[in-house]
Amino acid sequence: MSVRFDNNIVVRIQQATDIVEVVSEHLSLDRKGKEFVGLCPFHADHKPSMYVNPAKQIFKCFACGAGGDVFKFVQLREGLTFPQAIERLAERAGIQLAPRPRARQADAAAGDPAQIARVNAWASKFWQKQLFDEQTGADARKYVASRQIGEDTAGEWDVGFAAESWDNLLKAARAKGIGDKLLIDSGLAVLREQGGLYDKFRNRLMFPIFDVTGRVIAFGGRTLGDDPAKYMNSPATALFDKSNSLYGLDKSRHSIVADGTAVVVEGYTDVIIAHQAGCTNVVAALGTSFTQGHARVLKRYAKRIVLVFDNDVAGMEAANRALEVCLAQRIDIKLTFVSKGNDPCDFILSEGAEAFKRLIADSVDVMEYKWQRLQAGLSASDTLADRRRITEEYLRTVATAVAAGRRDAVAEGLIGTKLSRIIGLSEQETRRQLERYARSMSRTRTLAVRNQKVVNVAGSGGKDTESQREILEVLLNEPKLFANVTGRIKTEHFDVGVYREIAEALFSAISENPTASLAEVLARIASAEGGNLVVELEANGVRKGNYARRLGDAMAVIENRRAAAETEELKRRLNDDDTDALRRVSEMLQEGAGASEAPD
């Protein structure tokens, strides 16, 4: 992807940001000599294998290979693009970014995310003023007070109020010069069938939804009237997809990382009241089912997830669906239920924060819950069809757990004689069913959306590819040798995609600064994969040394390959009358023979 910010501002952000401080926001680091070390968050790390080098401003995991600068760490950790990581760290450093170039025409139809974020921020401020307006927001403030949300808390969460009017926001937006199309693209206004617009949110308490970079990406609105739609979210936009967004994650992520646990509830006020009570690792799934996208997002921050549901039929079914999602994503998952008639908000207000923390601490492991559900279901069932359905549901869960590496279920004998006895199948048949479901799970996983991960391209592609690696390894350590490369090796000679990305960044950095540092090169690389590889190549180069000779040998391999390819092309096009081409082939063959006979 192309970098959409001037490199000077990227370097400025990089220099204003200490990688040790940023990484420490996500995991605990201990000093080890001149470096810091901690448990790598990008794989199941039990022995600290991630090193952070404050002098070079890079990180490197010697177990899974993750590495790069502070931008790459944020990209991998928070699942952001390179421009989003730049924005995230610019905001953290207090550096104002210039507006991005206008969206290309192809993107304009769906709306420009940057413009949507700006109009959402404006709408959020507008609705906040409405809430605290003495007359307009009086009834809304009474409702907020009735939910025991403090005024400071409402301000902290930017809670607002959309008045009961068809064009309240619309008029204010037009007065500010905000175009109708942008309001539609943002989901703030709706187009009438007969023409004209009207406000999407009316007579609702408004909850802005932020992403981890601090942008307002959407809104949730709770009706204050008799609208049958109690809660309403923004529609999908170029900025917002509710299946990948979690309410409160912007305020919860540091606590989630520190505690290792993410608590997932269902409603906006559940999250706000939990935070107000000091339980700051709580998020909500925006009133929708817990999805694979939610699980992938939380997996970046949490070692385990506790799902909190209402203790009724709907809550149990929602829990059941969510458990399958988390198991498939290989997440340590537990769940707990609040008492009937309560939601987490009511429970905290009536029982207190400590009782809620005990509820979380006493949450049930997924396999134990499913076992209890199996036993209860079989006890209550009096038909063969029901017993078969309940049994198959449980077997699918066990198969998913086994496929996800949770072999503790097998170790506890759940697919042995105990399981066989209760479901009425032989142990052999039970295992056969599990194997069938496990194969099905395996096929499903191959179709799953891949999360950002470390990609290793080392040692692939033969001698020519290895020579490309050698050139990069040398120049990352001895940029002054770039003078030997100029005019002989170009970026297009790197035919592995990630090598070319690194070569382009490296060559341009050295062209501007003959002593370009590793950090300067990393600041020009957009992909996390490229950042990982740069750190690996630099470390390999240090270990091998002997820079000048290695560079010369690598360039000779590439130049000989080019010469041979050109020769073959000329031979192919040659005919008896093409004397100029014949002479050129002869000269090239002689040059090649002379080069091969040259002493070391």
Side-chain angles (χ1 to χ4, degrees):
M1 61 173 291
S2 59
V3 178
R4 289 181 280 177
F5 294 101
D6 182 85
N7 186 65
N8 291 327
I9 194 69
V10 177
V11 172
R12 183 182 163 204
I13 296 165
Q14 187 186 61
Q15 292 174 344
T17 306
D18 182 7
I19 192 171
V20 175
E21 291 182 2
V22 172
V23 175
S24 294
E25 294 175 359
H26 296 264
L27 57 126
S28 177
L29 291 176
D30 297 315
R31 182 177 284 279
K32 188 173 183 179
K34 295 181 180 180
E35 296 182 312
F36 292 83
V37 63
L39 293 173
C40 177
F42 304 121
H43 74 285
D45 196 9
H46 304 292
K47 182 180 179 181
S49 56
M50 174 174 281
Y51 285 74
V52 182
N53 187 316
K56 293 182 178 180
Q57 286 291 299
I58 61 172
F59 74 95
K60 175 68 178 177
C61 175
F62 290 95
C64 72
D69 61 354
V70 69
F71 295 115
K72 305 307 173 293
F73 180 85
V74 171
Q75 281 178 258
L76 282 169
R77 186 63 174 148
E78 301 187 2
L80 304 180
T81 64
F82 187 46
Q84 287 173 333
I86 292 170
E87 291 175 336
R88 167 94 175 77
L89 292 173
E91 181 182 18
R92 184 183 183 278
I95 295 174
Q96 186 71 35
L97 292 174
R100 291 195 200 169
R102 292 181 63 84
R104 294 173 306 191
Q105 188 171 359
D107 299 328
D112 176 16
Q115 289 188 32
I116 291 174
R118 285 195 289 274
V119 75
N120 281 348
W122 168 83
S124 178
K125 296 296 182 186
F126 175 80
W127 282 324
Q128 288 171 56
K129 290 179 181 177
Q130 296 270 71
L131 176 63
F132 291 103
D133 181 272
E134 185 175 352
Q135 293 183 333
T136 305
D139 289 340
R141 289 196 304 277
K142 288 179 183 176
Y143 175 80
V144 172
S146 73
R147 297 308 304 263
Q148 298 187 42
I149 299 173
E151 188 171 315
D152 289 343
T153 301
E156 180 186 351
W157 288 82
D158 294 339
V159 178
F161 170 59
E164 189 171 10
S165 167
W166 289 99
D167 60 0
N168 190 45
L169 182 77
L170 185 60
K171 286 180 178 177
R174 287 171 172 168
K176 282 283 186 181
I178 298 172
D180 288 358
K181 182 179 184 303
L182 181 54
L183 294 172
I184 296 171
D185 290 342
S186 306
L188 296 172
V190 179
L191 188 64
R192 297 180 188 274
E193 290 185 8
Q194 64 271 32
L197 302 180
Y198 62 91
D199 289 355
K200 168 77 172 179
F201 298 99
R202 304 176 306 281
N203 195 27
R204 289 180 181 270
L205 196 67
M206 300 302 298
F207 301 93
I209 302 166
F210 294 85
D211 66 8
V212 293
T213 69
R215 297 182 303 178
V216 181
I217 59 174
F219 296 92
R222 200 274 186 202
T223 185
L224 298 177
D226 55 4
D227 192 318
K230 184 176 178 182
Y231 281 96
M232 178 186 291
N233 288 328
S234 294
T237 69
L239 195 61
F240 176 60
D241 175 4
K242 69 178 180 180
S243 63
N244 290 291
S245 303
L246 290 152
Y247 181 69
L249 184 60
D250 56 307
K251 293 179 175 62
S252 302
R253 58 195 177 87
H254 294 315
S255 294
I256 291 172
V257 170
D259 187 65
T261 302
V263 178
V264 181
V265 296
E266 293 186 277
Y268 300 104
T269 54
D270 295 333
V271 175
I272 292 175
I273 290 298
H275 279 249
Q276 182 175 271
C279 304
T280 55
N281 61 338
V282 180
V283 297
L286 302 177
T288 187
S289 297
F290 192 79
T291 68
Q292 298 274 4
H294 295 141
R296 281 194 295 271
V297 170
L298 284 180
K299 194 175 177 181
R300 298 170 190 148
Y301 305 96
K303 296 177 182 176
R304 70 197 69 85
I305 296 174
V306 177
L307 301 170
V308 183
F309 290 98
D310 296 344
N311 194 8
D312 54 20
V313 173
M316 289 184 179
E317 289 305 318
N320 206 42
R321 292 191 299 271
L323 291 178
E324 300 294 337
V325 167
C326 290
L327 276 176
Q329 286 292 319
R330 304 188 181 196
I331 294 174
D332 184 7
I333 178 68
K334 294 186 176 184
L335 76 161
T336 189
F337 296 92
V338 291
S339 54
K340 282 188 178 180
N342 279 332
D343 54 26
C345 173
D346 296 329
F347 182 88
I348 293 170
L349 292 175
S350 63
E351 304 297 327
E354 291 307 314
F356 184 70
K357 290 176 182 178
R358 285 195 300 272
L359 190 73
I360 301 304
D362 294 338
S363 54
V364 179
D365 180 79
V366 54
M367 298 311 300
E368 182 181 347
Y369 168 75
K370 296 294 273 189
W371 179 257
Q372 293 171 357
R373 185 179 172 96
L374 170 70
Q375 291 179 307
L378 291 176
S379 298
S381 174
D382 55 4
T383 69
L384 183 61
D386 279 350
R387 292 175 67 85
R388 182 178 182 83
R389 175 183 56 78
I390 294 165
T391 300
E392 287 184 346
E393 177 191 306
Y394 181 76
L395 288 174
R396 277 196 300 271
T397 300
V398 176
T400 304
V402 172
R406 291 178 60 99
R407 297 190 181 274
D408 56 312
V410 179
E412 291 171 9
L414 295 181
I415 62 169
T417 57
K418 184 179 178 183
L419 175 58
S420 298
R421 191 183 312 119
I422 195 171
I423 65 178
L425 294 176
S426 69
E427 187 172 341
Q428 183 179 14
E429 178 62 20
T430 300
R431 291 184 182 276
R432 189 159 43 243
Q433 291 286 349
L434 279 170
E435 288 171 1
R436 181 168 64 87
Y437 286 126
R439 286 194 297 271
S440 175
M441 296 298 128
S442 178
R443 287 193 297 271
T444 301
R445 284 203 314 277
T446 62
L447 300 175
V449 179
R450 293 176 59 195
N451 196 6
Q452 290 205 47
K453 66 176 185 177
V454 179
V455 179
N456 187 359
V457 295
S460 61
K463 191 173 181 180
D464 194 60
T465 301
E466 185 58 33
S467 297
Q468 296 173 35
R469 283 180 63 92
E470 288 276 288
I471 291 173
L472 297 176
E473 287 178 4
V474 168
L475 293 182
L476 282 167
N477 286 280
E478 285 289 349
K480 64 184 181 182
L481 292 176
F482 183 63
N484 299 351
V485 175
T486 305
R488 295 175 61 185
I489 304 295
K490 299 179 181 179
T491 55
E492 53 262 36
H493 297 146
F494 293 79
D495 54 14
V496 177
V498 67
Y499 290 168
R500 180 171 293 186
E501 180 188 19
I502 295 170
E504 289 171 348
L506 181 59
F507 286 19
S508 65
I510 298 175
S511 296
E512 294 180 16
N513 178 11
T515 60
S517 66
L518 186 64
E520 289 177 75
V521 177
L522 283 165
R524 297 170 183 261
I525 292 176
S527 74
E529 178 190 0
N532 293 332
L533 192 55
V534 164
V535 174
E536 177 187 325
L537 294 172
E538 189 265 350
N540 288 345
V542 171
R543 189 177 67 252
K544 294 177 182 177
N546 199 17
Y547 299 126
R549 174 159 184 162
R550 285 172 55 212
L551 181 63
D553 290 347
M555 289 196 300
V557 169
I558 292 176
E559 289 176 326
N560 287 340
R561 185 257 301 181
R562 285 165 43 211
E566 189 175 343
T567 298
E568 289 302 314
E569 176 64 15
L570 286 169
K571 282 182 179 179
R572 187 181 66 79
R573 296 162 57 185
L574 187 63
N575 59 56
D576 292 340
D577 298 329
D578 198 345
T579 55
D580 288 339
L582 182 62
R583 189 183 307 110
R584 176 66 181 137
V585 170
S586 177
E587 291 172 355
M588 291 179 68
L589 290 173
Q590 290 175 11
E591 290 173 2
S596 64
E597 295 170 3
D600 274 336

